[in-house]
mmCIF file of all heavy atoms in Angstrom:
data_model
loop_
_atom_site.group_PDB
_atom_site.id
_atom_site.type_symbol
_atom_site.label_atom_id
_atom_site.label_comp_id
_atom_site.label_asym_id
_atom_site.label_seq_id
_atom_site.Cartn_x
_atom_site.Cartn_y
_atom_site.Cartn_z
ATOM 1 N N ASP A 104 -104.462 -24.401 47.137
ATOM 2 C CA ASP A 104 -105.486 -23.602 46.481
ATOM 3 C C ASP A 104 -104.991 -22.172 46.301
ATOM 4 O O ASP A 104 -104.124 -21.713 47.046
ATOM 5 C CB ASP A 104 -106.785 -23.587 47.298
ATOM 6 C CG ASP A 104 -107.612 -24.849 47.105
ATOM 7 O OD1 ASP A 104 -107.352 -25.599 46.145
ATOM 8 O OD2 ASP A 104 -108.524 -25.067 47.916
ATOM 9 N N TYR A 105 -105.557 -21.472 45.334
ATOM 10 C CA TYR A 105 -105.112 -20.121 45.033
ATOM 11 C C TYR A 105 -106.147 -19.419 44.174
ATOM 12 O O TYR A 105 -107.046 -20.025 43.588
ATOM 13 C CB TYR A 105 -103.770 -20.140 44.283
ATOM 14 C CG TYR A 105 -103.842 -20.963 43.009
ATOM 15 C CD1 TYR A 105 -104.157 -20.361 41.795
ATOM 16 C CD2 TYR A 105 -103.628 -22.344 43.033
ATOM 17 C CE1 TYR A 105 -104.251 -21.125 40.634
ATOM 18 C CE2 TYR A 105 -103.719 -23.098 41.880
ATOM 19 C CZ TYR A 105 -104.032 -22.483 40.684
ATOM 20 O OH TYR A 105 -104.134 -23.227 39.538
ATOM 21 N N LYS A 106 -106.012 -18.102 44.067
ATOM 22 C CA LYS A 106 -106.784 -17.295 43.122
ATOM 23 C C LYS A 106 -105.861 -16.190 42.652
ATOM 24 O O LYS A 106 -105.342 -15.419 43.454
ATOM 25 C CB LYS A 106 -108.030 -16.700 43.767
ATOM 26 C CG LYS A 106 -108.873 -15.900 42.793
ATOM 27 C CD LYS A 106 -110.169 -15.430 43.426
ATOM 28 C CE LYS A 106 -110.992 -14.677 42.387
ATOM 29 N NZ LYS A 106 -112.193 -14.109 42.967
ATOM 30 N N ILE A 107 -105.632 -16.131 41.348
ATOM 31 C CA ILE A 107 -104.747 -15.129 40.768
ATOM 32 C C ILE A 107 -105.575 -14.298 39.791
ATOM 33 O O ILE A 107 -106.176 -14.839 38.868
ATOM 34 C CB ILE A 107 -103.558 -15.779 40.020
ATOM 35 C CG1 ILE A 107 -102.751 -16.640 40.979
ATOM 36 C CG2 ILE A 107 -102.704 -14.711 39.354
ATOM 37 C CD1 ILE A 107 -101.695 -17.493 40.301
ATOM 38 N N ILE A 108 -105.593 -13.014 40.022
ATOM 39 C CA ILE A 108 -106.270 -12.114 39.095
ATOM 40 C C ILE A 108 -105.182 -11.473 38.235
ATOM 41 O O ILE A 108 -104.207 -10.950 38.746
ATOM 42 C CB ILE A 108 -107.046 -11.013 39.854
ATOM 43 C CG1 ILE A 108 -108.037 -11.617 40.849
ATOM 44 C CG2 ILE A 108 -107.755 -10.079 38.880
ATOM 45 C CD1 ILE A 108 -109.122 -12.456 40.216
ATOM 46 N N ASN A 109 -105.342 -11.557 36.930
ATOM 47 C CA ASN A 109 -104.363 -10.931 36.038
ATOM 48 C C ASN A 109 -105.090 -10.209 34.911
ATOM 49 O O ASN A 109 -106.313 -10.108 34.929
ATOM 50 C CB ASN A 109 -103.363 -11.966 35.518
ATOM 51 C CG ASN A 109 -104.032 -13.039 34.695
ATOM 52 O OD1 ASN A 109 -104.955 -12.774 33.942
ATOM 53 N ND2 ASN A 109 -103.579 -14.268 34.831
ATOM 54 N N ASP A 110 -104.357 -9.716 33.942
ATOM 55 C CA ASP A 110 -104.947 -8.907 32.877
ATOM 56 C C ASP A 110 -106.043 -9.627 32.096
ATOM 57 O O ASP A 110 -106.931 -9.004 31.558
ATOM 58 C CB ASP A 110 -103.872 -8.427 31.904
ATOM 59 C CG ASP A 110 -102.933 -7.438 32.557
ATOM 60 O OD1 ASP A 110 -103.305 -6.893 33.615
ATOM 61 O OD2 ASP A 110 -101.837 -7.210 32.023
ATOM 62 N N LYS A 111 -105.975 -10.936 31.993
ATOM 63 C CA LYS A 111 -106.984 -11.678 31.244
ATOM 64 C C LYS A 111 -108.177 -12.040 32.112
ATOM 65 O O LYS A 111 -109.148 -12.594 31.639
ATOM 66 C CB LYS A 111 -106.366 -12.939 30.656
ATOM 67 C CG LYS A 111 -105.312 -12.621 29.630
ATOM 68 C CD LYS A 111 -104.973 -13.838 28.833
ATOM 69 C CE LYS A 111 -103.850 -13.499 27.980
ATOM 70 N NZ LYS A 111 -103.449 -13.662 26.853
ATOM 71 N N SER A 112 -108.111 -11.753 33.378
ATOM 72 C CA SER A 112 -109.162 -12.124 34.314
ATOM 73 C C SER A 112 -109.462 -10.951 35.240
ATOM 74 O O SER A 112 -109.332 -11.048 36.437
ATOM 75 C CB SER A 112 -108.685 -13.339 35.112
ATOM 76 O OG SER A 112 -109.457 -13.537 36.246
ATOM 77 N N LEU A 113 -109.826 -9.832 34.663
ATOM 78 C CA LEU A 113 -110.080 -8.636 35.459
ATOM 79 C C LEU A 113 -111.430 -8.731 36.172
ATOM 80 O O LEU A 113 -112.417 -9.152 35.591
ATOM 81 C CB LEU A 113 -110.055 -7.394 34.580
ATOM 82 C CG LEU A 113 -108.695 -7.029 33.989
ATOM 83 C CD1 LEU A 113 -108.851 -5.835 33.053
ATOM 84 C CD2 LEU A 113 -107.694 -6.716 35.073
ATOM 85 N N GLU A 114 -111.433 -8.317 37.425
ATOM 86 C CA GLU A 114 -112.684 -8.221 38.157
ATOM 87 C C GLU A 114 -113.281 -6.849 37.907
ATOM 88 O O GLU A 114 -112.555 -5.884 37.671
ATOM 89 C CB GLU A 114 -112.448 -8.386 39.654
ATOM 90 C CG GLU A 114 -112.087 -9.789 40.055
ATOM 91 C CD GLU A 114 -111.962 -9.941 41.570
ATOM 92 O OE1 GLU A 114 -111.826 -8.924 42.282
ATOM 93 O OE2 GLU A 114 -112.006 -11.075 42.028
ATOM 94 N N LYS A 115 -114.594 -6.755 37.976
ATOM 95 C CA LYS A 115 -115.247 -5.456 37.859
ATOM 96 C C LYS A 115 -114.829 -4.612 39.057
ATOM 97 O O LYS A 115 -114.633 -5.135 40.153
ATOM 98 C CB LYS A 115 -116.759 -5.633 37.872
ATOM 99 C CG LYS A 115 -117.312 -6.363 36.683
ATOM 100 C CD LYS A 115 -118.810 -6.533 36.827
ATOM 101 C CE LYS A 115 -119.365 -7.445 35.753
ATOM 102 N NZ LYS A 115 -120.762 -7.783 35.990
ATOM 103 N N PRO A 116 -114.709 -3.300 38.863
ATOM 104 C CA PRO A 116 -114.382 -2.439 40.001
ATOM 105 C C PRO A 116 -115.429 -2.595 41.096
ATOM 106 O O PRO A 116 -116.613 -2.764 40.823
ATOM 107 C CB PRO A 116 -114.433 -1.025 39.406
ATOM 108 C CG PRO A 116 -114.260 -1.212 37.940
ATOM 109 C CD PRO A 116 -114.852 -2.553 37.621
ATOM 110 N N GLY A 117 -114.983 -2.578 42.319
ATOM 111 C CA GLY A 117 -115.902 -2.725 43.439
ATOM 112 C C GLY A 117 -115.150 -2.730 44.750
ATOM 113 O O GLY A 117 -113.976 -2.370 44.816
ATOM 114 N N ILE A 118 -115.815 -3.136 45.762
ATOM 115 C CA ILE A 118 -115.263 -3.201 47.107
ATOM 116 C C ILE A 118 -115.235 -4.666 47.529
ATOM 117 O O ILE A 118 -116.234 -5.371 47.382
ATOM 118 C CB ILE A 118 -116.146 -2.410 48.103
ATOM 119 C CG1 ILE A 118 -116.266 -0.947 47.691
ATOM 120 C CG2 ILE A 118 -115.648 -2.558 49.517
ATOM 121 C CD1 ILE A 118 -114.987 -0.161 47.789
ATOM 122 N N ASP A 119 -114.105 -5.132 48.031
ATOM 123 C CA ASP A 119 -114.019 -6.484 48.576
ATOM 124 C C ASP A 119 -114.172 -6.405 50.086
ATOM 125 O O ASP A 119 -113.500 -5.605 50.741
ATOM 126 C CB ASP A 119 -112.657 -7.123 48.271
ATOM 127 C CG ASP A 119 -112.501 -7.478 46.807
ATOM 128 O OD1 ASP A 119 -113.523 -7.579 46.100
ATOM 129 O OD2 ASP A 119 -111.355 -7.660 46.366
ATOM 130 N N ILE A 120 -115.042 -7.229 50.617
ATOM 131 C CA ILE A 120 -115.214 -7.344 52.060
ATOM 132 C C ILE A 120 -114.946 -8.805 52.395
ATOM 133 O O ILE A 120 -115.601 -9.698 51.858
ATOM 134 C CB ILE A 120 -116.623 -6.922 52.495
ATOM 135 C CG1 ILE A 120 -116.870 -5.460 52.102
ATOM 136 C CG2 ILE A 120 -116.797 -7.130 53.998
ATOM 137 C CD1 ILE A 120 -118.271 -4.993 52.312
ATOM 138 N N ILE A 121 -113.976 -9.026 53.260
ATOM 139 C CA ILE A 121 -113.548 -10.386 53.568
ATOM 140 C C ILE A 121 -113.918 -10.716 55.006
ATOM 141 O O ILE A 121 -113.535 -10.003 55.933
ATOM 142 C CB ILE A 121 -112.019 -10.516 53.379
ATOM 143 C CG1 ILE A 121 -111.641 -10.155 51.947
ATOM 144 C CG2 ILE A 121 -111.553 -11.922 53.766
ATOM 145 C CD1 ILE A 121 -110.170 -9.909 51.749
ATOM 146 N N PHE A 122 -114.675 -11.784 55.169
ATOM 147 C CA PHE A 122 -114.964 -12.318 56.501
ATOM 148 C C PHE A 122 -114.226 -13.643 56.607
ATOM 149 O O PHE A 122 -114.374 -14.510 55.753
ATOM 150 C CB PHE A 122 -116.470 -12.548 56.704
ATOM 151 C CG PHE A 122 -117.239 -11.286 56.908
ATOM 152 C CD1 PHE A 122 -117.803 -10.622 55.836
ATOM 153 C CD2 PHE A 122 -117.385 -10.755 58.181
ATOM 154 C CE1 PHE A 122 -118.505 -9.441 56.018
ATOM 155 C CE2 PHE A 122 -118.088 -9.582 58.380
ATOM 156 C CZ PHE A 122 -118.649 -8.919 57.294
ATOM 157 N N ASP A 123 -113.438 -13.804 57.632
ATOM 158 C CA ASP A 123 -112.635 -15.008 57.820
ATOM 159 C C ASP A 123 -113.343 -15.936 58.805
ATOM 160 O O ASP A 123 -113.599 -15.566 59.947
ATOM 161 C CB ASP A 123 -111.254 -14.611 58.356
ATOM 162 C CG ASP A 123 -110.279 -15.774 58.392
ATOM 163 O OD1 ASP A 123 -110.719 -16.934 58.253
ATOM 164 O OD2 ASP A 123 -109.084 -15.514 58.548
ATOM 165 N N PHE A 124 -113.664 -17.143 58.345
ATOM 166 C CA PHE A 124 -114.277 -18.158 59.202
ATOM 167 C C PHE A 124 -113.342 -19.350 59.384
ATOM 168 O O PHE A 124 -113.752 -20.413 59.816
ATOM 169 C CB PHE A 124 -115.603 -18.644 58.587
ATOM 170 C CG PHE A 124 -116.670 -17.597 58.599
ATOM 171 C CD1 PHE A 124 -116.836 -16.733 57.536
ATOM 172 C CD2 PHE A 124 -117.512 -17.468 59.699
ATOM 173 C CE1 PHE A 124 -117.818 -15.759 57.555
ATOM 174 C CE2 PHE A 124 -118.500 -16.496 59.726
ATOM 175 C CZ PHE A 124 -118.655 -15.638 58.649
ATOM 176 N N SER A 125 -112.081 -19.160 59.055
ATOM 177 C CA SER A 125 -111.139 -20.280 59.061
ATOM 178 C C SER A 125 -110.441 -20.439 60.395
ATOM 179 O O SER A 125 -110.512 -19.579 61.266
ATOM 180 C CB SER A 125 -110.085 -20.085 57.965
ATOM 181 O OG SER A 125 -109.225 -19.024 58.314
ATOM 182 N N LYS A 126 -109.747 -21.532 60.485
ATOM 183 C CA LYS A 126 -108.868 -21.786 61.626
ATOM 184 C C LYS A 126 -107.434 -21.834 61.089
ATOM 185 O O LYS A 126 -106.639 -22.632 61.511
ATOM 186 C CB LYS A 126 -109.246 -23.097 62.303
ATOM 187 C CG LYS A 126 -110.618 -23.053 62.923
ATOM 188 C CD LYS A 126 -110.993 -24.365 63.544
ATOM 189 C CE LYS A 126 -112.400 -24.269 64.083
ATOM 190 N NZ LYS A 126 -112.929 -25.521 64.509
ATOM 191 N N TRP A 127 -107.158 -20.959 60.135
ATOM 192 C CA TRP A 127 -105.866 -20.951 59.456
ATOM 193 C C TRP A 127 -104.785 -20.425 60.376
ATOM 194 O O TRP A 127 -104.947 -19.420 61.039
ATOM 195 C CB TRP A 127 -105.942 -20.099 58.197
ATOM 196 C CG TRP A 127 -104.737 -20.232 57.336
ATOM 197 C CD1 TRP A 127 -103.693 -19.367 57.243
ATOM 198 C CD2 TRP A 127 -104.438 -21.309 56.464
ATOM 199 N NE1 TRP A 127 -102.763 -19.837 56.349
ATOM 200 C CE2 TRP A 127 -103.197 -21.023 55.866
ATOM 201 C CE3 TRP A 127 -105.088 -22.487 56.139
ATOM 202 C CZ2 TRP A 127 -102.613 -21.875 54.943
ATOM 203 C CZ3 TRP A 127 -104.513 -23.328 55.220
ATOM 204 C CH2 TRP A 127 -103.286 -23.034 54.635
ATOM 205 N N ASP A 128 -103.663 -21.114 60.380
ATOM 206 C CA ASP A 128 -102.500 -20.696 61.158
ATOM 207 C C ASP A 128 -101.504 -20.063 60.187
ATOM 208 O O ASP A 128 -101.138 -20.678 59.183
ATOM 209 C CB ASP A 128 -101.886 -21.932 61.835
ATOM 210 C CG ASP A 128 -100.726 -21.604 62.746
ATOM 211 O OD1 ASP A 128 -100.049 -20.570 62.531
ATOM 212 O OD2 ASP A 128 -100.473 -22.393 63.670
ATOM 213 N N GLU A 129 -101.072 -18.844 60.459
ATOM 214 C CA GLU A 129 -100.131 -18.147 59.575
ATOM 215 C C GLU A 129 -98.869 -18.967 59.330
ATOM 216 O O GLU A 129 -98.224 -18.826 58.297
ATOM 217 C CB GLU A 129 -99.748 -16.782 60.161
ATOM 218 C CG GLU A 129 -100.854 -15.754 60.117
ATOM 219 C CD GLU A 129 -101.130 -15.246 58.712
ATOM 220 O OE1 GLU A 129 -100.193 -15.104 57.909
ATOM 221 O OE2 GLU A 129 -102.306 -14.990 58.428
ATOM 222 N N ASP A 130 -98.502 -19.836 60.273
ATOM 223 C CA ASP A 130 -97.310 -20.669 60.108
ATOM 224 C C ASP A 130 -97.465 -21.679 58.971
ATOM 225 O O ASP A 130 -96.483 -22.237 58.491
ATOM 226 C CB ASP A 130 -96.982 -21.411 61.409
ATOM 227 C CG ASP A 130 -96.543 -20.462 62.515
ATOM 228 O OD1 ASP A 130 -96.083 -19.341 62.199
ATOM 229 O OD2 ASP A 130 -96.672 -20.831 63.696
ATOM 230 N N PHE A 131 -98.709 -21.935 58.528
ATOM 231 C CA PHE A 131 -98.945 -22.864 57.429
ATOM 232 C C PHE A 131 -98.481 -22.278 56.098
ATOM 233 O O PHE A 131 -98.297 -22.987 55.131
ATOM 234 C CB PHE A 131 -100.433 -23.205 57.289
ATOM 235 C CG PHE A 131 -101.028 -23.939 58.466
ATOM 236 C CD1 PHE A 131 -102.395 -23.944 58.651
ATOM 237 C CD2 PHE A 131 -100.248 -24.625 59.383
ATOM 238 C CE1 PHE A 131 -102.967 -24.612 59.710
ATOM 239 C CE2 PHE A 131 -100.812 -25.292 60.446
ATOM 240 C CZ PHE A 131 -102.171 -25.292 60.610
ATOM 241 N N GLY A 132 -98.325 -20.958 56.051
ATOM 242 C CA GLY A 132 -97.974 -20.286 54.804
ATOM 243 C C GLY A 132 -99.228 -19.844 54.078
ATOM 244 O O GLY A 132 -100.337 -19.959 54.575
ATOM 245 N N GLY A 133 -99.045 -19.311 52.908
ATOM 246 C CA GLY A 133 -100.169 -18.797 52.137
ATOM 247 C C GLY A 133 -100.467 -17.367 52.545
ATOM 248 O O GLY A 133 -100.308 -16.997 53.698
ATOM 249 N N ASN A 134 -100.843 -16.570 51.577
ATOM 250 C CA ASN A 134 -101.092 -15.161 51.834
ATOM 251 C C ASN A 134 -102.263 -14.666 51.010
ATOM 252 O O ASN A 134 -102.560 -15.191 49.942
ATOM 253 C CB ASN A 134 -99.878 -14.314 51.427
ATOM 254 C CG ASN A 134 -98.664 -14.631 52.240
ATOM 255 O OD1 ASN A 134 -98.653 -14.429 53.439
ATOM 256 N ND2 ASN A 134 -97.625 -15.135 51.589
ATOM 257 N N LEU A 135 -102.862 -13.609 51.507
ATOM 258 C CA LEU A 135 -103.838 -12.849 50.751
ATOM 259 C C LEU A 135 -103.160 -11.516 50.465
ATOM 260 O O LEU A 135 -102.827 -10.771 51.389
ATOM 261 C CB LEU A 135 -105.116 -12.645 51.569
ATOM 262 C CG LEU A 135 -106.194 -11.759 50.967
ATOM 263 C CD1 LEU A 135 -106.638 -12.294 49.608
ATOM 264 C CD2 LEU A 135 -107.379 -11.667 51.907
ATOM 265 N N VAL A 136 -102.900 -11.253 49.183
ATOM 266 C CA VAL A 136 -102.153 -10.052 48.800
ATOM 267 C C VAL A 136 -102.925 -9.304 47.725
ATOM 268 O O VAL A 136 -103.358 -9.889 46.737
ATOM 269 C CB VAL A 136 -100.747 -10.417 48.258
ATOM 270 C CG1 VAL A 136 -99.996 -9.163 47.829
ATOM 271 C CG2 VAL A 136 -99.957 -11.202 49.292
#
Side-chain angles (χ1 to χ4, degrees):
D104 280 345
Y105 57 92
K106 182 175 182 185
I107 301 171
I108 304 297
N109 62 38
D110 293 343
K111 295 194 186 221
S112 164
L113 292 176
E114 289 184 342
K115 294 178 189 171
I118 301 293
D119 289 341
I120 300 172
I121 302 165
F122 286 92
D123 188 346
F124 292 91
S125 70
K126 295 178 183 171
W127 190 259
D128 184 334
E129 289 288 324
D130 293 337
F131 296 160
N134 296 297
L135 175 58
V136 178

